[in-house]
Amino acid sequence: MIEFAAATKTYPNGTLAVANATLRVAAGEFVTLLGPSGCGKSTLLRMAAGLTPPTTGRVAAPWLAETRSKEAQDDSATLGFVFQEPTLLPWANVWKNVYLPLRLAGVRRRDARERVDAVLAMVGLSEFSRAYPRELSGGMKMRASVARALVTRPQAMLLDEPFAALDEITRNRIDDDLLALWRGQRWAALFVTHSVFESIYLSTRVLVMSPRPGRIVEEIVVDLPQPRTPAVRSTARFAELCGQASAALARSMAA
Amino acid sequence: MTNPPLRKSLPGIVRWTQRLAPLLVGAAALGAWEWAVRHWSVQRYVIPGPVLIAQTIVERWDELAAAWVVTLKTMALALAAAAVGGAALAAAFTSSRWIEASLFPYAIILQVTPLVAVAPLLAMFLGGHFELVHFLCAWIVAFFPVLSNTAVGLRSADRAHRELFALYGASWWARLRLLLAPSALPYFLAGLRIAGSLSLVGAVVAEFVTGAVGDESGLASQILAGQMRLDTPMVFAALTLVSLTGIVVYFALGLLSWLLLRHWHDSAVR
Ligand SMILES: Nc1ncnc2c1ncn2[C@@H]1O[C@H](COP(=O)(O)OP(=O)(O)OP(=O)(O)O)[C@@H](O)[C@H]1O
Ligand SMILES: [Mg+2]
């Protein structure tokens, strides 16, 4: 689904943000990028989305121009992106915000109604479809943002520390909801976080990144059973995997 | 903390007195003016009192209303043209840096050249088409604040929102309509509020310069005519209507701004 081959990103000001990244995300996988702040996680995700091209190396995905023609006819429907901030349009209510990707794809309001309502129900925002973003809590805004990414029925979701700004209780709840959505829809997920616990709980695979210039230094396969429930967090295996990830992170920082 | 009821009721009183304060000041000033005029028996052609001015407005309403309509028409047309033209040109700027770079300097030249210097030229070129001259003068001054404000507004769209639109392959038109235009709306409305006052100034100045008479004579022509006839009450009556128009337009545009932004923009949300 997503493939990086020795991709490097140097910003115009000379900052080497990502060095030699090679990774693959297969369909149906939930892969997490775990790394310290400023290590180039967002940059990597932006390259995967085609928002910025790699300086050297190659990034391939169905929605990118070079590979698009072969694998997908409908170019916009394959990718969902959840930004670090909710990035809702403040002048539009929740319903219209979620409708936006469909609107940009030329779907008429009448034809979109069912899908928008369904996806709002999935994230638990049905009652708030007429509310404006400023009337929502931080968690609700993020839910609306997730709904907007899901409304095109994407094959892949890119999530950039979507819940980092939320309190732990809310974040755990939304994580559970996100996992339930993933189990039901099976998009490939590339999820960025700097929380060890979150990365292990959510993913099938964790990629640990080094500080800038970011490179992928270790891979941890998470063999916790599916479907995951909050009870998983108190198992010995969960603690063990978290330990592994923390150790890998510490090693990468020392190196 | 200890007595919330008092603290809650206080702002209400304060707000109301704040709203009434300008009215009280105005009433006091008018009262003093009337008193002074009567006390020193000032001649009506030197300074008329407020009562006489009000009387003049009522008694010579037909004359004044006809002139008022002329000025209002000039102003409304100029404001509408400034709003549409300024917004459209600013939108064109977003499609190409070239358009912006090649046209913006001329908009600035138009803006910095004093209107009283341009108006006679226009009057010369356009001969007897006074209405057109008035319209152009009012438009020239009202146009720039709309253009420059909207241009800044269109560029102020959030970077993350731009990326979101890029991600979904939005067309130039969709981006303009769904992202740039709403982002620019508060700026546009602020510009429009300035343009409202300026279009009135432009219309009045143009009338002064052309000195139009007859069917095309607006409030400024009434002022000029009154001045020449030493009909000072008429001068003040026309002046009163000019000020009133300016105030009403200013608040009407403020209301429009509030109506359009009240759901989302910090400037309008309580
Ligand atoms: N547009 C840009 N121009 C120049 N340098 C940039 C730009 N964007 C990011 N960088 C630099 O690239 C590096 C990686 O940034 P990036 O945003 O990818 O980090 P991150 O891992 O997402 O951090 P965080 O966890 O804090 O979000 C940083 O050192 C940053 O200063
Ligand atoms: Mg980031």
Side-chain angles (χ1 to χ4, degrees):
Chain A
M1 178 71 54
I2 307 170
E3 205 172 333
F4 278 66
T8 301
K9 180 73 193 182
T10 312
Y11 279 108
N13 64 4
T15 310
L16 177 60
V18 173
N20 202 17
T22 298
L23 68 95
R24 267 182 71 100
V25 181
E29 262 196 304
F30 200 120
V31 176
T32 297
L33 285 171
L34 176 64
S37 179
C39 75
K41 305 183 295 294
S42 295
T43 304
L44 210 143
L45 222 53
R46 290 162 50 78
M47 283 196 280
L51 287 172
T52 181
T55 314
T56 63
R58 208 173 73 90
V59 179
W63 50 85
L64 298 177
E66 313 88 72
T67 39
R68 185 186 295 168
S69 47
K70 289 177 285 184
E71 296 180 47
Q73 291 86 3
D74 189 348
D75 52 3
S76 57
T78 51
L79 172 69
F81 198 108
V82 182
F83 292 86
Q84 210 158 341
E85 311 289 319
T87 63
L88 301 172
L89 304 177
W91 52 82
N93 64 26
V94 169
W95 199 93
K96 284 188 187 152
N97 263 292
V98 174
Y99 167 49
L100 180 74
L102 295 179
R103 181 168 191 178
L104 292 177
V107 181
R108 272 174 314 179
R109 184 183 288 245
R110 220 172 328 125
D111 305 327
R113 174 141 294 147
E114 221 169 289
R115 266 162 86 178
V116 173
D117 289 344
V119 80
L120 279 174
M122 276 183 221
V123 299
L125 282 180
S126 296
E127 289 168 55
F128 293 92
S129 65
R130 293 191 178 283
Y132 283 82
R134 57 176 292 119
E135 298 161 359
L136 303 181
S137 72
M140 287 153 86
K141 279 185 207 154
M142 255 2 271
R143 284 173 183 275
S145 181
V146 170
R148 181 180 60 192
L150 288 174
V151 79
T152 56
R153 301 200 182 119
Q155 298 167 18
M157 287 276 279
L158 305 177
L159 303 103
D160 189 359
E161 303 193 49
F163 316 130
L166 305 181
D167 61 281
E168 201 180 336
I169 303 166
T170 310
R171 184 185 343 150
N172 288 345
R173 275 238 314 279
I174 298 194
D175 278 350
D176 280 326
D177 293 343
L178 188 72
L179 271 186
L181 289 167
W182 173 72
R183 273 199 305 278
Q185 308 179 341
R186 280 293 165 157
W187 15 268
L190 187 54
F191 187 101
V192 164
T193 182
H194 52 232
S195 159
V196 170
F197 302 107
E198 195 180 28
S199 71
I200 298 293
Y201 184 68
L202 289 175
S203 31
T204 54
R205 211 145 51 87
V206 177
L207 302 174
V208 181
M209 289 182 74
S210 68
R212 196 173 62 80
R215 61 187 91 233
I216 291 154
V217 287
E218 269 179 73
E219 171 178 298
I220 297 168
V221 174
V222 181
D223 53 8
L224 294 168
Q226 298 281 358
R228 297 201 185 137
T229 55
V232 165
R233 290 202 179 93
S234 46
T235 61
R237 182 65 185 147
F238 181 77
E240 193 182 340
L241 285 164
C242 288
Q244 270 181 35
S246 300
L249 211 51
R251 274 197 297 279
S252 83
M253 300 287 276
Chain B
M1 277 303 234
T2 46
N3 46 2
L6 181 65
R7 294 188 51 170
K8 230 179 163 178
S9 64
L10 248 173
I13 295 168
V14 170
R15 235 191 1 251
W16 275 106
T17 18
Q18 253 175 13
R19 264 180 215 167
L20 288 176
L23 295 180
L24 291 176
V25 170
L30 286 179
W33 179 359
E34 185 68 35
W35 175 84
V37 166
R38 282 167 196 258
H39 182 74
W40 284 293
S41 313
V42 181
Q43 291 295 319
R44 55 183 289 157
Y45 60 82
V46 179
I47 300 175
V51 173
L52 181 57
I53 295 170
Q55 255 172 6
T56 311
I57 293 178
V58 174
E59 281 163 14
R60 300 168 73 178
W61 178 245
D62 291 345
E63 237 173 302
L64 277 167
W68 199 13
V69 167
V70 170
T71 305
L72 274 182
K73 213 173 97 188
T74 308
M75 185 193 152
L77 283 177
L79 186 59
V84 173
L89 190 58
F93 284 179
T94 67
S95 72
S96 147
R97 286 260 153 208
W98 279 95
I99 298 182
E100 173 162 7
S102 40
L103 291 184
F104 202 58
Y106 295 101
I108 295 175
I109 290 174
L110 214 58
Q111 167 68 13
V112 296
T113 312
L115 186 65
V116 280
V118 182
L121 275 182
L122 284 175
M124 250 168 64
F125 294 146
L126 294 170
H129 300 91
F130 287 138
E131 277 187 23
L132 186 60
V133 176
H134 298 166
F135 164 78
L136 282 177
C137 287
W139 175 78
I140 285 173
V141 287
F143 173 73
F144 191 76
V146 176
L147 172 69
S148 60
N149 266 37
T150 312
V152 170
L154 287 170
R155 268 185 259 120
S156 73
D158 193 61
R159 195 179 88 126
H161 289 155
R162 287 171 190 275
E163 293 190 337
L164 182 74
F165 275 68
L167 211 57
Y168 289 111
S171 62
W172 176 80
W173 175 242
R175 209 169 66 107
L176 180 66
R177 210 160 77 80
L178 300 175
L179 174 63
L180 303 187
S183 305
L185 188 62
Y187 296 81
F188 167 78
L189 289 168
L192 199 62
R193 235 172 143 165
I194 302 169
S197 315
L198 285 183
S199 65
L200 178 64
V201 172
V204 168
V205 168
E207 285 174 16
F208 265 117
V209 171
T210 60
V213 287
D215 284 351
E216 289 154 335
S217 66
L219 286 176
S221 309
Q222 293 291 347
I223 292 175
L224 269 182
Q227 191 188 9
M228 279 188 270
R229 294 196 304 259
L230 278 187
D231 187 358
T232 317
M234 191 59 173
V235 172
F236 273 88
L239 203 56
T240 307
L241 290 186
V242 171
S243 311
L244 216 61
T245 310
I247 292 168
V248 168
V249 166
Y250 184 80
F251 281 105
L253 290 174
L255 182 68
L256 177 73
S257 176
W258 179 78
L259 283 174
L260 290 175
L261 302 180
R262 73 197 142 140
H263 283 305
W264 65 276
H265 199 255
D266 288 335
S267 71
V269 176
R270 285 177 231 272

